[in-house]
């Protein structure tokens, strides 16, 4: 299941992104000791912007409280219900503030929340009453975005500058970084000049998984309840998805799908192509796709259910181990 070929090096922005996520999981923050827990996710964002790598710094005690509400993300509708659910039984229209949209959608969210076990409900006559299971904690300390551009030349820097400026100005992030591939040459000043001075720059060696700070970022600020609500939604998406969720959009049930270690990260490797594939390549439309032979799914441990299921279990176990470590951080 795991390929360790010397030819399995980082050949795409996708692989570079996964190595960045693993580096952040191990080494965050890049400029000092870690004070808070850190959760790392990829391809998380809003309607206007999706970030390559997102680091959510969290109070460890608050993270433990958040874990009481399950390991899945809470979307904006569920957050409205869970955050405002009363401590004592109340009709949901009395117990929750008006959401600004029709109550029938709130009722649907209440039922979904009850099915997830994050609130309790009961019926009194024709009314649905609810009460909270646990208070929703204030667990998020900071949200940091990292844009990954391994091959960053002057034209690429100019094209990226507007996106980085949006990240600096959007009022949702506490820090913004750009990660590029480390080289033996000094980074040309023009690359740094293209970006807002508030954005930091990192140089990653994807083969070793080591990072160097080329430019330190400024601390950004966010204010207003709208920003606070949107930050909670972003943090919830990061909490529920993590960065190993790449396997959910790929085809680990293909007989050619393997994992290989690059820069300390398990990344997908295609035996048919003889290299690390991209997320877009690894789909049912791939001409090299071949389903796992049925016999592979009956061999028992450690690949019971087939190698594809084994890949998912390996990644899930690693995610759980990291989450447990961060929960116990003091």
């Amino acid at each position: 299941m795991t390929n360790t070929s010397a030819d399995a090096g980082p050949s795409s922005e996708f692989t570079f992104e996964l190595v960045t996520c693993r580096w952040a999981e191990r080494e965050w923050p890049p400029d000092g000791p870690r004070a808070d827990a850190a959760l790392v996710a990829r391809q998380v964002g809003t309607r206007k912007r999706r970030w390559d790598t997102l680091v959510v710094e969290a109070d460890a005690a608050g993270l433990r409280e958040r874990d009481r509400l399950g390991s899945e993300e809470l979307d904006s509708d569920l957050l409205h219900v869970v955050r405002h659910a009363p401590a004592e039984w109340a009709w949901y229209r009395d117990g929750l503030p008006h959401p600004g949209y029709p109550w029938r959608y709130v009722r649907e969210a209440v039922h979904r929340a009850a099915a997830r076990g994050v609130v309790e409900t009961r019926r009194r006559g024709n009314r649905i009453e609810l009460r909270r299971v646990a208070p929703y904690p204030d667990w998020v300390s900071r949200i940091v975005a990292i844009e990954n551009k391994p091959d960053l030349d002057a034209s690429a820097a100019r094209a990226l500058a507007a996106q980085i400026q949006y990240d600096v100005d959007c009022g949702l992030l506490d820090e913004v970084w750009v990660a590029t591939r480390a080289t033996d040459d000094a980074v040309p000043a023009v690359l740094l000049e293209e970006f807002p001075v508030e954005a930091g720059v990192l140089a990653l060696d994807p083969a070793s998984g080591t990072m160097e700070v080329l430019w330190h970022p400024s601390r950004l600020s966010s204010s207003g309840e709208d920003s606070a609500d949107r930050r909670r939604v972003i943090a919830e998406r990061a909490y529920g998805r993590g960065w190993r969720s790449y396997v959910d959009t790929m085809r680990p049930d293909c007989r050619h799908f393997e994992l290989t270690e690059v820069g300390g990260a398990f990344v997908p490797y295609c035996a048919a192509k003889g290299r690390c594939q991209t997320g877009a390549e690894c789909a049912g439309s791939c001409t090299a796709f071949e389903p796992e032979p049925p016999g592979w799914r009956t061999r028992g441990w450690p690949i019971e259910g087939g190698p594809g299921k084994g890949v998912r279990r390996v990644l899930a176990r690693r995610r759980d181990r990291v989450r447990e470590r961060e929960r116990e951080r003091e």
Side-chain angles (χ1 to χ4, degrees):
M1 180 169 57
T2 302
N3 186 294
T4 56
S5 169
D7 297 330
S11 58
S12 68
E13 187 171 317
F14 172 70
T15 303
F16 184 91
E17 185 176 300
L18 298 183
V19 176
T20 299
C21 290
R22 179 58 179 150
W23 165 82
E25 198 172 65
R26 289 195 317 262
E27 304 294 341
W28 192 263
D31 50 2
R34 182 181 299 188
D36 290 327
L39 303 181
V40 180
R42 61 174 294 273
Q43 295 300 316
V44 171
T46 67
R47 292 180 184 177
K48 293 184 178 180
R49 183 76 165 97
R50 186 179 296 273
W51 293 290
D52 291 342
T53 300
L54 207 67
V55 181
V56 178
E57 296 181 11
D59 171 72
L63 183 59
R64 290 192 290 272
E65 290 298 308
R66 171 58 187 86
D67 287 340
R68 294 177 61 190
L69 298 169
S71 60
E72 297 179 47
E73 71 181 81
L74 300 172
D75 60 37
S76 57
D77 290 343
L78 289 178
L79 273 173
H80 179 76
V81 172
V82 174
R83 287 187 61 232
H84 299 292
E88 303 298 333
W89 290 108
W91 182 38
Y92 74 95
R93 291 201 187 189
D94 289 339
L96 303 175
H98 196 287
Y101 48 83
W103 280 107
R104 67 178 180 274
Y105 298 116
V106 179
R107 185 185 179 108
E108 291 174 6
V110 168
H111 286 305
R112 287 200 294 124
R116 290 265 299 271
V118 293
V119 298
E120 294 180 309
T121 59
R122 70 181 184 186
R123 183 178 292 276
R124 297 293 293 269
N126 63 347
R127 291 187 169 188
I128 299 296
E129 295 185 343
L130 83 161
R131 69 178 179 185
R132 71 188 184 199
V133 170
Y136 186 84
D138 183 18
W139 61 279
V140 179
S141 302
R142 299 200 315 152
I143 301 179
V144 179
I146 305 174
E147 184 71 12
N148 297 297
K149 289 295 177 185
D151 303 312
L152 190 59
D153 57 17
S155 61
R158 284 191 291 271
L160 188 61
Q163 294 181 42
I164 303 304
Q165 187 65 61
Y166 172 84
D167 295 344
V168 169
D169 296 338
C170 69
L172 299 174
L173 303 170
D174 296 282
E175 222 170 67
V176 174
W177 296 81
V178 177
T180 188
R181 191 190 308 269
T183 66
D184 294 333
D185 301 325
V187 177
V190 65
L191 300 189
L192 302 182
E193 291 169 1
E194 292 293 340
F195 300 127
V197 296
E198 296 90 346
V201 180
L202 297 164
L204 170 69
D205 178 356
S208 64
T210 58
M211 190 84 78
E212 178 187 1
V213 177
L214 302 181
W215 182 266
H216 289 274
S218 300
R219 187 176 182 87
L220 307 176
S221 62
S222 60
S223 61
E225 186 54 33
D226 179 59
S227 290
D229 288 343
R230 292 167 70 195
R231 280 166 59 88
R232 273 189 287 267
V233 171
I234 292 168
E236 279 291 329
R237 289 171 182 165
Y239 175 89
R241 301 175 195 182
W243 65 269
R244 294 175 177 87
S245 57
Y246 66 79
V247 74
D248 295 335
T249 57
M250 301 182 80
R251 296 303 304 264
D253 57 333
C254 173
R255 70 182 301 153
H256 303 300
F257 187 99
E258 300 175 4
L259 292 178
T260 190
E261 187 171 351
V262 176
F266 270 172
V267 302
Y269 177 90
C270 179
K273 297 180 175 69
R275 58 175 170 81
C276 296
Q277 73 271 49
T278 68
E281 285 180 302
C282 188
S285 59
C286 175
T287 56
F289 173 75
E290 294 183 52
E292 297 171 339
W296 287 12
R297 303 174 187 174
T298 59
R299 293 179 181 175
W301 187 92
I303 57 170
E304 185 176 1
K309 292 288 184 65
V311 165
R312 293 180 184 276
R313 285 195 294 269
V314 166
L315 295 176
R317 284 198 299 267
R318 288 202 162 212
R319 175 189 181 277
D320 290 345
R321 283 201 297 270
V322 171
R323 183 65 57 84
E324 180 67 26
R325 181 194 70 197
E326 296 303 311
R327 272 199 301 264
E328 299 306 315
R329 185 176 296 277
E330 295 296 340

